[in-house]
Amino acid sequence: MGLIPGVPLITIILTSMLVLRQLTREKKSRRSPEAMLSVEDVPPGDEYEVFLSFRGSDTRNNFTDCLYHELRRVGFHVFRDNEELRIGEKIDEEIFKALNKSQIYIPIFSRNYATSSWCLRELAYMVECTSDEKKKKKILPIFFDVDPNDVKLKTRLYRKAIPKHKKKFGSDALKRWEDALVEVAHLKAWEVKGKGHGELIKLVVGEVLRKLNARHVDVPEYWVEDHCRMENILEKLKVDSDGVRFLGIHGIGGIGKTVLAKVVFNKISSHFEGVCFLNDVRESLQHGLISVQKKLLASFVGPVNADQIKDIGDGMNQIKRVCHNQKVLIVLDDLDKQEQLKKLAGKSDWFGSGSRIIFTTRNLEVLMTQVESSSEDVLSEPRGTLAYEVHEMEFAQAVQLFCKHAFRRDSPPEGYDHLSEKIVLRVGMLPLAVEAIGSFLYCHGSTLEQHCDKKNLWEDTLKRLDDGPFQDVRDALMISYEGLENKEKEVFLDIACLFTNKDQTYPVFMWHECNYHPHLAISVLCQRSLIKIGHDNKFWMHDQVRDLGKHIMREKYPRKFSRVYIKEDAIKLLERKERNEDVKALCLTSDICNRNFQVEGTLKGSMISLKALTIKEKAIFLDVASFYINSNQTNPVISTLRQRILIGMEFDNELWMHDQVTSDSCSRNIGPKELDALSGLRFLQVEGIDFIGNCKNDILELRWLSLEGTHNKFCAGNFHSTSLVMLDLSRSNIEDDWGGWSQFQMTKKLKVLDLKDCKKLTRTPDVTNFMSLEILVLAGCVSLITIDCSIGKLELRL
């Protein structure tokens, strides 16, 4: 009895549910197709990569099922309605979300495809999505058991099925579906007829791999293409020829290697069956070489298979196995070791004929990697790796690139042309620097009020460049510097601060004596694209690399100011007379040689005393100032000089004179205290400056001494440098009896003696003690008459 009253209630509930479902269906059927296809709420990101559109009753359990699982096997996330729909979600919304997120659409046309309104609606939306070129979506149609003319509506098969949907969806919807069918039917497609399913599925999966394998990589929005560069590279690659070619694009950091490689990749990628562009390999190696091998392999077989790599050796074998019969294009960006190329691209027999392997590097050593196969016998294939060096931009192109970043136009506005050119020249047309400074000025200039003069900002920026490269540029260039050994860094900093555009011969002698292994160091610097050796045997260094070296000297080097080459810094250093053993190089050139290292006003009392001396007393005073400081001498006049407080007497009976007095009477000089404070010097270059006083062997570490323009009198005593290998006396006023010769007789290691343009010399000096001398320069010694016989004992370089 208790169950009978409940029967009507259950009936009512079920009836109500059926009515509600019918009302919902009718409400949905009245919605316009546009409303049904709305995807405004679809979140960003590609949850699916491939969308399969098919008639379930025709192909779900055969061809489509096999294709679906093969695509999944190689690692793609594939949408098909019976497996991807989530329980409880609206079917139409979920399908169109999947369509919107997918990149590849594969409609599988079968005999009953057009009988499904869902298939037709999916196809129309595919056409709509692919019409937007920015979305970069593709349709890859398959004619399963139909003819292309069926889909083009030239036969009765589809033309008869479509009108049956008119009552529910209306004429407008049918017209869209018909247009979509015809448009897709004209695309390049596969026909199953005459092919086995396995063979066709392999072709489809391969094409999906190629389409989704980023055949176009992003290049900077504001870039100026150099057509001449492109022609030169394409000439080397010869894309249409057989054989395997390796091309190394090399140059300093920030020169534009990566962007150039991207442009080349985009231009030629369509010529290859499989392509791969690996960005920043050097940085990616932080996660291990195996991870990079997996990335490369995933481009050809998908991530699922690539993840099966067990170790580096297995990765090499897998790459060779997959690429051996394929014509592939692989770009490896930023390699810095040979091992990376060996483990990622091995040798030419890893790849099918016509393949091209491109890599970018700062390290020329990578170009020397052995890539030929010993079994290879391809006459058209060049031996070894082809090389293309990227130089700084042409001036006009650099200005255009700068303007694109600074003004968002190709040329500077009125009033900014001169400043733009100065900035571009100042950074040496290095693309990274041009971009960084242009973007900096654009961003900061846009924040200024309209009425503000932006030229002040530009002028300050130009001055700021004197402090070194911008941070982004420094970061890029520092990668090469930080990869150097300590001794190589010392040579690099010497070149940046002292020897840019100078002949390498003399510095090599100094570095050899310092045990810096100069030939090896120079080779490494050249390999890292930090320097070049010109045809004139001079060091060349890009302006921004040189500025980086000077920045390191000032800001990053552990011993700041170890190389002092700026006038103001040199003056302050000498005036302080503070002990600083970290100073290794000091340069005093002609623009500061007239400066007295003294404090103004301290000599007034001394000058009054000097004026009161007799002529004889003045003569002895000048002799003391010039020759006898700190030497043991006696003379009747000395007591008078002591009374005038112009000299003093030490306990060991040595004469002493205040440095300020000495400086005034011999205005161009460096005294013992200055040298004692800089006892770690290995390089000293002065011009028109004399040394005075008892140096007490304070320059024992000195390897290079340049006394250009020195006077005939040598005022220093105990000026002995047993480690000296380079003595430059060029353009000096020295004569045959120059007093300095006696001071240098202990210099047994001297390799170079430069007497160029010493116009007062009539004979060469006695070089008996210079038994290591290799180079003696006498060019411009116009008064030279006699060659000292001691020269016959030397083995000089010719």
Side-chain angles (χ1 to χ4, degrees):
M1 286 291 295
L3 295 176
I4 295 175
V7 172
L9 178 61
I10 294 173
T11 303
I12 292 171
I13 292 173
L14 291 173
T15 304
S16 299
M17 291 176 65
L18 290 171
V19 171
L20 286 172
R21 180 175 293 182
Q22 183 63 31
L23 288 172
T24 301
R25 286 178 177 174
E26 290 177 1
K27 186 177 179 180
K28 284 185 179 180
S29 67
R30 290 194 296 268
R31 288 191 297 178
S32 66
E34 287 76 12
M36 294 175 67
L37 303 187
S38 173
V39 289
E40 294 177 359
D41 298 327
V42 176
D46 291 323
E47 182 179 350
Y48 302 105
E49 294 169 295
V50 182
F51 186 101
L52 298 180
S53 176
F54 60 95
R55 188 69 167 114
S57 59
D58 288 346
T59 65
R60 174 181 286 123
N61 296 323
N62 45 65
F63 180 81
T64 299
D65 185 63
C66 294
L67 177 61
Y68 169 78
H69 284 288
E70 183 63 17
L71 287 167
R72 289 294 299 268
R73 187 187 67 79
V74 298
F76 293 122
H77 194 181
V78 188
F79 181 93
R80 67 172 182 175
D81 58 3
N82 66 326
E83 286 195 22
E84 298 296 341
L85 292 183
R86 297 173 181 83
I87 295 174
E89 297 195 33
K90 297 178 181 179
I91 294 176
D92 58 343
E93 291 181 4
E94 191 66 14
I95 286 178
F96 288 109
K97 283 182 182 180
L99 278 164
N100 198 64
K101 295 176 183 180
S102 298
Q103 292 297 303
I104 298 291
Y105 304 128
I106 302 181
I108 302 171
F109 295 116
S110 58
R111 297 191 65 81
N112 293 303
Y113 187 91
T115 64
S116 167
S117 61
W118 274 114
C119 289
L120 295 172
R121 293 162 72 192
E122 291 168 0
L123 188 72
Y125 193 59
M126 292 176 197
V127 172
E128 181 181 334
C129 289
T130 54
S131 65
D132 185 351
E133 293 183 358
K134 293 182 179 179
K135 293 183 178 180
K136 298 180 180 179
K137 298 176 183 289
K138 300 291 182 183
I139 299 177
L140 305 178
I142 296 175
F143 300 119
F144 180 69
D145 54 3
V146 297
D147 189 83
N149 285 331
D150 295 328
V151 185
K152 293 176 183 176
L153 304 180
K154 293 182 178 181
T155 67
R156 296 183 69 248
L157 183 62
Y158 280 17
R159 205 169 59 220
K160 179 181 177 182
I162 291 176
K164 297 179 181 179
H165 304 297
K166 182 176 181 180
K167 181 177 181 181
K168 186 174 183 179
F169 296 97
S171 300
D172 291 342
L174 265 61
K175 181 65 168 62
R176 284 194 300 275
W177 298 349
E178 289 173 347
D179 290 344
L181 283 166
V182 172
E183 181 174 340
V184 173
H186 282 87
L187 298 175
K188 183 179 179 181
W190 291 282
E191 294 187 52
V192 176
K193 291 180 180 179
K195 293 185 177 71
H197 289 189
E199 179 185 355
L200 180 61
I201 287 172
K202 181 179 179 181
L203 292 174
V204 174
V205 172
E207 185 64 18
V208 172
L209 277 167
R210 285 189 284 274
K211 294 292 184 186
L212 289 180
N213 188 22
R215 284 191 170 267
H216 284 266
V217 292
D218 290 333
V219 297
E221 181 179 2
Y222 303 111
W223 178 249
V224 178
E225 183 172 332
D226 188 326
H227 297 289
C228 184
R229 281 181 178 175
M230 287 301 303
E231 290 176 6
N232 290 335
I233 289 179
L234 293 177
E235 175 62 26
K236 288 179 178 291
L237 287 172
K238 294 188 183 299
V239 174
D240 295 327
S241 67
D242 293 333
V244 178
R245 293 184 177 227
F246 283 70
L247 174 67
I249 299 176
H250 63 97
I252 64 172
I255 201 69
K257 302 182 296 295
T258 298
V259 175
L260 184 58
K262 287 182 175 182
V263 174
V264 172
F265 180 87
N266 289 344
K267 191 172 289 290
I268 68 175
S269 60
S270 61
H271 293 261
F272 298 87
E273 299 173 29
V275 297
C276 174
F277 192 107
L278 286 185
N279 263 309
D280 203 352
V281 172
R282 179 187 51 79
E283 186 71 22
S284 300
L285 285 170
Q286 294 181 357
H287 305 293
L289 186 55
I290 293 178
S291 68
V292 182
Q293 287 180 323
K294 288 180 179 180
K295 282 184 181 180
L296 192 156
L297 195 59
S299 299
F300 302 104
V301 299
V304 173
N305 282 342
D307 277 340
Q308 305 304 314
I309 293 176
K310 302 179 182 65
D311 52 44
I312 292 175
D314 183 42
M316 295 169 66
N317 291 330
Q318 292 290 344
I319 294 170
K320 181 177 180 179
R321 180 183 63 80
V322 169
C323 298
H324 180 66
N325 292 316
Q326 289 193 61
K327 179 182 177 180
V328 300
L329 170 64
I330 296 175
V331 178
L332 306 172
D333 175 47
D334 197 13
L335 303 183
D336 63 349
K337 290 183 174 64
Q338 286 187 345
E339 178 195 20
Q340 297 158 8
L341 183 58
K342 291 177 181 177
K343 299 300 191 293
L344 294 172
K347 295 188 177 182
S348 52
D349 63 354
W350 284 25
F351 309 101
S353 180
S355 295
R356 298 294 181 263
I357 314 301
I358 302 172
F359 60 89
T360 69
T361 184
R362 309 164 189 230
N363 188 355
L364 291 177
E365 186 181 35
V366 182
L367 297 173
M368 310 305 170
T369 308
Q370 180 73 26
V371 295
E372 304 96 343
S373 169
S374 58
S375 61
E376 207 134 21
D377 188 22
V378 182
L379 296 178
S380 62
E381 185 177 317
R383 306 295 294 175
T385 298
L386 300 168
Y388 182 82
E389 182 178 7
V390 185
H391 298 281
E392 60 269 17
M393 301 182 76
E394 294 291 335
F395 177 69
Q397 292 176 334
V399 171
Q400 184 183 358
L401 179 63
F402 175 78
C403 292
K404 282 178 176 287
H405 286 270
F407 308 113
R408 300 301 190 257
R409 49 186 282 181
D410 288 339
S411 59
E414 185 178 354
Y416 284 87
D417 49 351
H418 184 56
L419 276 171
S420 298
E421 291 173 357
K422 285 178 69 175
I423 289 174
V424 169
L425 287 171
R426 179 62 184 80
V427 299
M429 284 84 79
L430 187 73
L432 179 60
V434 170
E435 293 175 12
I437 298 167
S439 299
F440 171 84
L441 290 170
Y442 176 80
C443 294
H444 286 267
S446 62
T447 62
L448 297 177
E449 298 293 336
Q450 192 68 30
H451 62 276
C452 292
D453 186 0
K454 298 179 182 179
K455 289 185 178 179
N456 292 331
L457 170 67
W458 283 55
E459 293 285 0
D460 284 349
T461 302
L462 192 57
K463 292 177 182 177
R464 175 180 161 183
L465 289 172
D466 292 334
D467 296 332
F470 270 39
Q471 184 67 48
D472 290 347
V473 182
R474 286 203 305 269
D475 290 345
L477 297 176
M478 279 295 289
I479 294 170
S480 297
Y481 173 79
E482 289 172 347
L484 300 175
E485 300 290 340
N486 288 336
K487 292 180 179 180
E488 295 160 358
K489 290 179 179 179
E490 294 289 338
V491 173
F492 168 79
L493 294 173
D494 274 356
I495 296 173
C497 297
L498 305 170
F499 299 124
T500 301
N501 297 321
K502 300 293 176 63
D503 190 285
Q504 67 165 323
T505 306
Y506 297 172
V508 164
F509 284 122
M510 179 183 70
W511 294 325
H512 181 77
E513 182 61 25
C514 294
N515 199 31
Y516 286 169
H517 312 301
H519 298 294
L520 176 60
I522 290 171
S523 175
V524 170
L525 295 179
C526 288
Q527 288 175 356
R528 298 296 177 108
S529 302
L530 290 169
I531 66 169
K532 291 180 185 177
I533 306 297
H535 296 299
D536 54 1
N537 206 40
K538 291 181 179 180
F539 291 117
W540 179 89
M541 185 177 279
H542 192 280
D543 292 347
Q544 290 289 282
V545 178
R546 178 204 62 207
D547 291 348
L548 170 73
K550 293 180 177 180
H551 171 80
I552 293 170
M553 271 324 317
R554 293 192 301 270
E555 305 295 336
K556 293 184 176 294
Y557 201 64
R559 305 182 299 278
K560 292 185 179 181
F561 294 105
S562 67
R563 294 161 180 82
V564 184
Y565 53 89
I566 299 175
K567 176 178 71 175
E568 291 78 9
D569 295 337
I571 291 172
K572 291 176 183 177
L573 183 69
L574 289 169
E575 288 180 343
R576 283 199 300 265
K577 298 187 177 75
E578 296 176 358
R579 191 167 187 84
N580 188 341
E581 295 180 357
D582 291 331
V583 178
K584 303 301 180 187
L586 180 67
C587 188
L588 293 173
T589 53
S590 58
D591 58 349
I592 60 173
C593 66
N594 292 320
R595 171 72 178 263
N596 295 329
F597 307 118
Q598 58 189 33
V599 181
E600 188 176 350
T602 60
L603 295 177
K604 290 181 179 178
S606 298
M607 287 303 296
I608 293 172
S609 298
L610 184 59
K611 290 176 181 177
L613 297 176
T614 65
I615 293 176
K616 185 176 181 179
E617 290 167 343
K618 287 180 180 178
I620 292 180
F621 165 78
L622 293 175
D623 279 348
V624 173
S626 299
F627 298 105
Y628 303 124
I629 300 297
N630 299 321
S631 59
N632 192 324
Q633 299 291 333
T634 58
N635 190 287
V637 183
I638 286 179
S639 59
T640 302
L641 299 179
R642 291 181 63 191
Q643 290 171 1
R644 302 281 185 177
I645 324 177
L646 289 169
I647 65 172
M649 188 78 74
E650 298 287 0
F651 292 112
D652 55 2
N653 206 35
E654 286 188 353
L655 297 179
W656 168 87
M657 182 178 284
H658 193 281
D659 291 341
Q660 303 295 341
V661 178
T662 306
S663 287
D664 188 68
S665 42
C666 185
S667 62
R668 302 178 184 180
N669 57 67
I670 296 178
K673 289 190 177 180
E674 285 90 354
L675 289 177
D676 182 60
L678 306 175
S679 59
L681 274 180
R682 59 175 169 82
F683 175 94
L684 179 59
Q685 181 178 21
V686 297
E687 185 175 346
I689 295 176
D690 288 333
F691 294 87
I692 61 171
N694 185 357
C695 295
K696 299 180 180 178
N697 297 324
D698 286 329
I699 55 170
L700 295 179
E701 296 298 316
L702 200 64
R703 269 78 169 186
W704 178 305
L705 177 61
S706 178
L707 300 175
E708 288 188 42
T710 191
H711 304 106
N712 189 44
K713 288 186 177 181
F714 193 78
C715 307
N718 289 320
F719 196 87
H720 301 144
S721 178
T722 56
S723 299
L724 196 68
V725 294
M726 162 65 185
L727 178 59
D728 181 7
L729 299 171
S730 59
R731 290 176 287 278
S732 298
N733 293 317
I734 62 172
E735 299 178 15
D736 299 342
D737 59 350
W738 181 56
W741 294 125
S742 61
Q743 298 292 322
F744 291 107
Q745 289 305 306
M746 295 180 63
T747 310
K748 308 293 186 181
K749 296 181 179 180
L750 193 68
K751 300 281 188 181
V752 180
L753 177 58
D754 192 339
L755 300 174
K756 181 172 51 186
D757 291 328
C758 291
K759 301 185 184 299
K760 294 184 179 182
L761 280 180
T762 64
R763 65 177 297 147
T764 61
D766 181 357
V767 294
T768 301
N769 290 327
F770 302 155
M771 297 310 296
S772 298
L773 195 67
E774 295 185 26
I775 297 177
L776 174 62
V777 182
L778 298 172
C781 297
V782 295
S783 302
L784 194 65
I785 299 174
T786 305
I787 302 295
D788 191 89
C789 62
S790 60
I791 201 170
K793 301 176 182 179
L794 303 178
E795 295 182 5
L796 297 178
R797 284 189 181 183
L798 297 178

